Structure formats: C-alpha cells, structure tokens
Amino acid sequence: MNKTKNTFLLFLTAFIWGVAFVAQSVGMDYVGPWTFNASRFIIGAVFLIPCIAFLDGLKKKEAAASGTSSEKSAPQDKKTLLIGGLCCGIAIAVASTLQQYGISMTTVGKAGFITALYIVIVPILGIFLKKKPRLIIWVSVVLALAGLYFLCMTDSLSFSKGDTMVLLCALVFSIHILIIDYFSPKVDGVRMSCIQFFVASIICGIPALILEHPQFSSLVAAWAPILYAGILSCGVAYTLQIVAQKNYDPTIASLILSLESVFSVLAGWVILHEALSPREILGCVLVFIAIILVQLPEKKKSSRK
C-alpha cells in the first residue's frame, strides 16, 4: 500500500515538474536564471513553514488522542536534518543553475534529453553504493532512454558548451536523488525540504544581486510563473519527492520522475497549443512502457530443502 502511494506521489511530482517547464520558459522572458531560481526557492521555503506548523499540530492531536506524548527531536536528529537539508540545497541550487544556463545555450529538445540521463546515472552511481538494480530495471532504463530520444531529440547529436552544462546538471540531479534516498528515512521530509530551499535561495540569491541586479518591476511581470515554480514546483513537488522516496528504490524513483519530459510535451500541447508529432507520441509510449515494466513485482526465488 505504501509503495502504491509513493508511486502516485512520484507521478504527481513528475506532472508538476513537466508543467513547470512552461512556467520556466515564460519566467525567463522577464528575469535572469539566478533571479528566477532564487525567487522560486525562497517562495518554496516560506510556503512550507505553515505546512510544517499544520503537520506538527496534527501530530500533537494524534498523540493526545492516543494518550502518547509527542517526542522531541534529539540533538543528533537535528544535526542529521541540517546536514541533509544543506546537502540537498547545494545540489538543487547547482543543478537548477546549470540547467538554466544550459538551456540558454542549447536547444530545448537536447536539454530535455540530456537532463533525463539521470535515469541512467542513478543506477550507475548506485552500483558504487552497493545497490544492485534488477535486470528489468536496466531494460526499463534502455526503453526510457529510447523514448526520451524520440520525445526530445530533434536535432543532430553534437555537444556544445550548453550541452555539457546540462549533462553536468543531470549528474548533480542524480546526486540529489541519492542524497534524498540516504537522508529521507532518517529525518522529517518536509523540514528537510524547507531547509534545502532556504539554502538554495541563498546560494542563488547572492549571484542574482551581484550579476543580474533584479528590478521589482521585472519580478512583478513574472509573478505568475515564479509563483507556480515556487509553490507547486518547489514547495509541493520537491517535498512530495522527499516524502515519496522514503524507503523507495532510487532507480525506480528516477524512472518515474523522468516522466516530467512526457508531461512537459503534453503541457506544451494543451497550454501553448504545440502539436505532438508521431515521433513524440512514440516517445511517450516507450517511456510509459518503461514505467509500467519497472513497477512489476519481483519474482521470489523458491527455496529448496
């Protein structure tokens, strides 16, 4: 039951991120990449503060109803929470900034495909962490890569400076997924998400003030995409990712999250009235097949006496 719930939360996360590509594209017409990221991260962090207070209130009511006392976090737990939030914040700030700059120097199709390479990088990095993926996962990875190729790659294969930056972005996003996999079972996921956004907003905010000198009028003009990216893409989606990845295979999680590329194409079709070509439809089908395959239960080996 928990796996089904976590799978649904990851699907929802991928959907929110996919639609966020539209908001991200529109927002960049008014503000620079550092400013856009700093704005959405601080909004995401502030949005989570009342959410944490609300959830704490629910826990206290449940504890009072059951006659148990709500335990306070030990100093060691708080230290783990701070370290996890700091590591996630650094990773997400670096990855998002690399993606923003990379997209400005390469095509969106290439950027979408290269960013989605984290579905390959995660299991490869997992091998070094003594996590051995099942064969069906590798088959799903190949299918998902083929689908993402048909979905996103429309130009000739050649690596530019922008392509290299997006590839580095995929690597850092992979590290972010593995960091969450390590810390999420040990700490409160919503609190760690709030900390990571505060950290990321500071990391992006300082260069924004120095290099881009954001104007209040520009921020007002971009209020809608910034609010969507801040509240839904950051505050809701990244928190759902942390909660859903708790005790969940990071390789499978990365495959489901890769659906953001599919949803971004669908969002462009519905919102921006961009038509889906047969090639893109084939890509969507292959990615969905990969996701279905990876959700198949593992056959248990019968023990012989």
Side-chain angles (χ1 to χ4, degrees), residues 75-91:
Q76 187 63 32
D77 294 335
K78 291 182 179 179
K79 182 180 178 181
T80 303
L81 175 64
L82 289 173
I83 293 174
L86 179 64
C87 292
C88 286
I90 294 172

Side-chain angles (χ1 to χ4, degrees), residues 97-209:
T97 303
L98 284 170
Q99 186 184 54
Q100 291 294 111
Y101 273 106
I103 288 176
S104 67
M105 289 183 277
T106 186
T107 63
V108 173
K110 282 187 178 182
F113 177 75
I114 297 169
T115 301
L117 284 175
Y118 63 74
I119 70 175
V120 176
I121 299 173
V122 167
I124 291 175
L125 293 178
I127 294 174
F128 296 99
L129 300 176
K130 298 182 179 179
K131 293 179 181 288
K132 295 183 178 180
R134 294 178 289 145
L135 177 60
I136 193 66
I137 292 178
W138 287 111
V139 173
S140 298
V141 165
V142 173
L143 275 175
L145 274 177
L148 289 167
Y149 175 83
F150 287 116
L151 182 63
C152 300
M153 189 67 72
T154 57
D155 303 301
S156 59
L157 280 170
S158 60
F159 264 75
S160 63
K161 183 179 178 181
D163 298 331
T164 304
M165 294 185 75
V166 179
L167 180 59
L168 291 173
C169 153
L171 174 61
V172 182
F173 268 132
S174 303
I175 295 172
H176 183 252
I177 289 175
L178 293 175
I179 291 172
I180 291 175
D181 178 61
Y182 177 80
F183 283 101
S184 60
K186 302 178 181 181
V187 299
D188 183 290
V190 182
R191 277 182 164 81
M192 186 170 76
S193 184
C194 185
I195 293 172
Q196 80 164 346
F197 291 138
F198 272 120
V199 172
S201 66
I202 294 172
I203 294 175
C204 294
I206 295 174
L209 293 173

Side-chain angles (χ1 to χ4, degrees), residues 234-249:
C234 291
V236 175
Y238 275 111
T239 302
L240 288 179
Q241 179 196 9
I242 290 176
V243 173
Q245 269 196 244
K246 192 171 186 177
N247 301 320
Y248 200 94
D249 190 320

